[in-house]
Amino acid sequence: MTNTDRAKSRALRPGDVVEVRSTAEILATLDGDAALANMPFMPEMLRYTGSRFRVSRRVDKICDTIAYTGSRRLRNTVYLEDLRCDGSSHGGCQAGCKLYWNEAWLRRVDDDHEGPADRRDDGNGEELASLANKGARTVRSLEGAPTEVWRCQATEALKASTHLRGFDIRQYWREMTNGNFGLYEFCRIMATGIVIEIAVRLGFSRRLPLRGPGKGPRVSLGLKPGDVVTVRSPGEIAATLDGSGLDRGLSFDREMLPFCGQTVRVKDRVVNIVDDKTGRLLNIRKDCLILEGAVCSGTKSFGCLYCPREIHAYWREAWVQSVEKNGERSVIASEQSA
């Protein structure tokens, strides 16, 4: 076998250039629920057929945000650059989850390969769109009653994956051998994760002091996408939390601590998100934000070490300060929520 043949036969790795297959080819891989190995091909992915991207990361393990069983094993799955779901076919969900791509939906592009595929409708686009849209809805038993809810890659991630035992060292070693990390970065993340986990368990970590039980202040800053804010200090944020570490049901976790004191831009105001566990579209109170670059790193909790999902953190307006155009921080007026 030549080196070229070996390259073609191996699993995709970060840096590989791929082309999303045609609608006909993708359609042939899907079952009646528009899924392959329980992972849905969603309507939001249709526009990428025939386009080329670089593989940004293999997705061999993910964290479980449905049953919280720890890490889960995914197979034959990659991320392409920073392609995220825009929620346009899921009730306007603003979670912005990174899209899972099964390798069967992709074609590796060789250096001598001709240009991108002809993206004209191959006669199967309408059929694939119909199937994908049908698969975006399902009926679940919620509170003892059958309820039609949304279905997406996040809600089906538990079914599409298998449980990973925490002491199974193969899940960590795989993150280096699959090309996701070099030796130095792999060791740095591992060491950081172990130190933080030990510190948390022994009570020595920099944890937010919880206030409560009580209600945090409801702040209305009228922030818009593109506005600049500075994230408040841990102490200031702690003052808004109840005895469970929540601000009106929204948690502040250790993955968010590194952003304290940083000045960042508002990416979006969050109103609607699909609940991973139930599939229901949740309406979030008006003072909730997504900040640019403020995503889960997968390095601050040993149970989710190396998780590549980069989930957006949600921020209450009480946790940030607006920054005026002249660079000075504005004074925030807040009132206790009723």
Side-chain angles (χ1 to χ4, degrees), residues 24 43 55 62 108 133 207 221 248 262:
V55 174
I62 57 172
R108 181 183 281 107
N133 278 293
R207 303 172 75 178
L221 303 179
R248 286 164 289 133
Q262 290 193 20

Side-chain angles (χ1 to χ4, degrees), residues 119-150:
R119 298 186 62 190
R120 290 177 297 179
D121 186 5
D122 58 9
N124 295 275
E126 187 174 334
E127 184 178 355
L128 178 57
S130 176
L131 180 62
N133 278 293
K134 178 184 175 183
R137 299 289 284 176
T138 191
V139 175
R140 303 183 193 278
S141 178
L142 300 178
E143 300 173 357
T147 306
E148 187 178 31
V149 293
W150 294 105

Side-chain angles (χ1 to χ4, degrees), residues 241-282:
L241 307 178
D242 62 20
S244 299
L246 305 175
D247 180 344
R248 286 164 289 133
L250 193 63
S251 66
F252 187 94
D253 60 48
R254 70 179 82 164
E255 282 281 358
M256 301 166 75
L257 275 171
F259 297 99
C260 289
Q262 290 193 20
T263 298
V264 294
R265 290 189 181 276
V266 174
K267 181 178 179 66
D268 205 355
R269 296 191 65 89
V270 183
V271 179
N272 298 313
I273 58 171
V274 171
D275 180 18
D276 292 358
K277 186 174 183 178
T278 66
R280 282 175 167 161
L281 190 67
L282 304 179

